[in-house]
Amino acid sequence: MRPGARIPTDGVVEEGESEIDESMITGESLPVAKAVGSNVIGATVNTTGTLRVRATKVGADAALARIVALVQEAQNSKAPGQRLADRAAFWLVLVALIGGGVTLGAWLLAGAALPTAILFAITVVVITCPDALGLATPTAIMVGTGLGAKRGVLFKNAGALETSARIDTVVLDKTGTLTRGQPEVTDVIAVGIDEDSLLTLVAAVERESEHPLAAAIVAYAEAGHAPSPNREFGTFVGERRFQTHSSAGTPAASNFRNVPGHGAGATVQGRRVFVGSRKLMLAQGIDLAPVAAQRDELASTGRTAVLVAVDGRAVGVIALADAPRESAAAAVAALHDAGIRVVMLTGDNEATARRIAEKLGIDTVIAEVLPEDKAAKIAELQASGKRVAMVGDGVNDAPALAQADLGIAIGAGTDVAIETADVVLMRSDPLDVPVALRIGKGTLRKMRQNLGWAIGYNVIALPIAAGVFYPSLGLMLSPEIAAISMSGSSVIVAVNALLLKRLPLPLPAGAGRA
């Protein structure tokens, strides 16, 4: 795939690096970096580099085809309110025919001429034609699903739209939904050594490791938290200084030794550096007293505390944690503004869950829940009278998604979760949860307004068309005026539904207001 080419179908990058514009599918405004092993989506545009891509999904299985199918299914499906409107329209047809017959007979019995009686009867049939009633909900549903698709929120059926309007409790999975699912450095504590030196030594060791925590520490150091390549840095405070020569800003490590499950060690510029767990340090005979208090404090808040020792001395602690997504706090705030209770449901430990919950302002935390018990927790909330929406991304969330009144799947999640859910968030952005619920409420409001107008129009127009007020007020409608009124009623319903496009929605982080 050359620069500027459109990706023909879903696949995986086999060779090359580039950035791809995925805004058409995911709504992501910036191009997304792709390298070997990255997944690409059909119909997106390659922007900078040349890629060799192996197709993994074609035809109806491709992401774009599935999106189109979901939108069509939602727009063609009937919500409970639509089924009610269809039944009302059926009976209204009978009312129109019976009303026309009764009007004809009444005017004939009143002594009116046959042409006059027929004129009133035809006017009744025309004015009560249930066009507006039949259009009341489909137009709102089509606009609502289209508005959702524009924001990357896909409603699988019209029933999901109505259900989303009645949700009063949202249950959110933690990992991958509220958080990125990837560790990042949150704290660096140096004892008897300056922080720059600590990071540089640790990065030199961790660069040789393939552990996710090691990658996070190296990324933190490379992001500008460690000294530049040509800067001198001190090791222990008051001791000698030495120069780094690595182009990445860290000295080279030698005699690297990985200790699976515990950490790693290496020699960096003649100093023996160990990075890892408490067990690794104790195995090396290192006294942890200088950093014990800091380690315990960080661990108590749910962070992963990585200990650092240099030449047999404990010199620091680096804390890592699964960081919240940028828009998670805004999503929780938007749900609170809508009067919705927010619950975190996770299998993670209580301390980690509460740390994230306090940072985001979540009301209730249900932690250390086994995958098979998540659906039971949702059922407990429902039994207490709550209308529950479950938001998740993993296979372990699928039963809870199915149990909830409304299942919402993160687009970057597993196929099982996506297939089970009623709503799919293609941008994998927590802020789209309140967007989905607000679209549901807006759509239901338009459906009710349209139904109210259609029914009220017929209630008012029917007696006028039947000539009830003609003898006393001389007020009557001709069939031509009745036909125009009936068409005008349908237009009003359609225009009112289109006004749903002006529904104010929470904006993504960094987005400007129009």
Side-chain angles (χ1 to χ4, degrees):
M1 304 303 304
R2 298 185 182 279
R6 191 175 294 275
I7 307 295
T9 190
D10 295 4
V12 62
V13 176
E14 294 283 320
E15 183 181 331
E17 294 184 358
S18 183
E19 292 185 335
I20 291 182
D21 180 2
E22 297 183 343
S23 58
M24 173 184 176
I25 304 296
T26 66
E28 178 65 46
S29 59
L30 298 176
V32 179
K34 301 291 181 180
V36 175
S38 299
N39 292 319
V40 296
I41 305 173
T44 56
V45 180
N46 184 28
T47 60
T48 56
T50 299
L51 299 174
R52 185 180 298 277
V53 177
R54 173 172 55 85
T56 55
K57 295 180 181 179
V58 296
D61 293 330
L64 181 60
R66 297 203 327 262
I67 291 171
V68 172
L70 286 173
V71 173
Q72 289 177 341
E73 183 180 349
Q75 291 185 337
N76 292 331
S77 64
K78 292 185 178 181
Q82 171 63 19
R83 290 191 288 271
L84 176 62
D86 288 346
R87 289 196 297 271
F90 169 78
W91 288 107
L92 194 59
V93 170
L94 293 180
V95 170
L97 295 176
I98 295 171
V102 170
T103 300
L104 176 64
W107 278 103
L108 289 175
L109 290 175
L114 180 61
T116 301
I118 291 176
L119 183 68
F120 280 115
I122 292 174
T123 303
V124 167
V125 172
V126 171
I127 204 74
T128 54
C129 179
D131 282 4
L133 190 61
L135 290 172
T137 58
T139 51
I141 289 169
M142 293 190 70
V143 175
T145 53
L147 181 62
K150 187 176 180 181
R151 278 293 300 264
V153 178
L154 302 183
F155 294 91
K156 288 188 176 182
N157 52 68
L161 266 172
E162 284 203 41
T163 302
S164 64
R166 299 183 172 93
I167 295 299
D168 56 27
T169 302
V170 171
V171 178
L172 296 151
D173 176 49
K174 182 181 75 69
T175 305
T177 301
L178 288 171
T179 65
R180 300 189 188 98
Q182 297 176 342
E184 69 175 26
V185 174
T186 60
D187 301 88
V188 177
I189 299 175
V191 178
I193 184 175
D194 65 83
E195 186 176 310
D196 283 350
S197 301
L198 177 71
L199 278 173
T200 304
L201 291 171
V202 172
V205 177
E206 297 289 52
R207 193 180 299 280
E208 306 299 323
S209 174
E210 296 180 355
H211 195 279
L213 295 181
I217 292 173
V218 172
Y220 181 81
E222 290 180 345
H225 301 284
S228 62
N230 297 320
R231 175 188 166 190
E232 287 189 350
F233 64 92
T235 55
F236 295 106
V237 174
E239 295 191 9
R240 66 183 177 87
R241 308 175 75 87
F242 58 86
Q243 185 114 3
T244 66
H245 302 288
S246 167
S247 60
T250 56
S254 59
N255 300 321
F256 176 80
R257 181 168 68 92
N258 183 49
V259 183
H262 297 294
T267 300
V268 182
Q269 294 284 12
R271 296 189 177 275
R272 193 61 181 166
V273 182
F274 283 96
V275 183
S277 67
R278 180 175 176 272
K279 288 184 178 180
L280 174 66
M281 300 300 165
L282 293 178
Q284 299 301 317
I286 297 169
D287 180 16
L288 297 179
V291 297
Q294 294 91 328
R295 174 197 172 278
D296 292 342
E297 180 181 355
L298 292 169
S300 67
T301 59
R303 294 172 173 85
T304 298
V306 176
L307 300 170
V308 183
V310 177
D311 289 340
R313 294 169 57 185
V315 297
V317 184
I318 298 178
L320 301 96
D322 186 7
R325 293 179 183 268
E326 290 83 354
S327 59
V332 173
L335 290 170
H336 284 156
D337 290 343
I340 295 172
R341 177 190 176 199
V342 182
V343 178
M344 177 193 290
L345 181 64
T346 179
D348 213 337
N349 66 74
E350 185 84 16
T352 300
R354 291 205 173 276
R355 179 181 64 83
I356 297 293
E358 290 174 4
K359 183 177 292 187
L360 300 181
I362 291 174
D363 304 309
T364 306
V365 176
I366 305 175
E368 300 179 12
V369 180
L370 296 175
E372 58 268 25
D373 293 335
K374 285 189 174 183
K377 295 296 183 182
I378 298 295
E380 288 178 12
L381 291 170
Q382 291 172 320
S384 66
K386 303 295 183 182
R387 291 188 175 94
V388 182
M390 170 68 192
V391 187
D393 69 326
V395 174
N396 61 332
D397 296 321
L401 291 170
Q403 174 65 41
D405 296 286
L406 182 72
I408 303 177
I410 297 294
T414 62
D415 290 342
V416 174
I418 292 173
E419 290 298 323
T420 306
D422 304 300
V423 181
V424 180
L425 308 181
M426 290 303 298
R427 299 190 311 123
S428 303
D429 186 348
L431 192 59
D432 286 339
V433 175
V435 167
L437 301 186
R438 189 169 296 182
I439 289 174
K441 289 182 179 180
T443 302
L444 185 61
R445 184 170 61 252
K446 289 299 179 185
M447 289 167 59
R448 288 172 173 169
Q449 289 173 357
N450 286 348
L451 287 170
W453 165 258
I455 293 172
Y457 159 79
N458 282 284
V459 168
I460 295 172
L462 183 59
I464 298 176
V468 172
F469 303 108
Y470 181 66
S472 59
L473 302 176
L475 181 62
M476 67 174 291
L477 293 176
S478 66
E480 297 88 345
I481 298 299
I484 293 173
S485 300
M486 179 268 295
S487 299
S489 177
S490 299
V491 170
I492 289 173
V493 164
V495 170
N496 186 49
L498 289 173
L499 290 176
L500 184 61
K501 291 185 176 182
R502 302 178 64 182
L503 182 72
L505 299 174
L507 290 173
R513 294 188 177 273

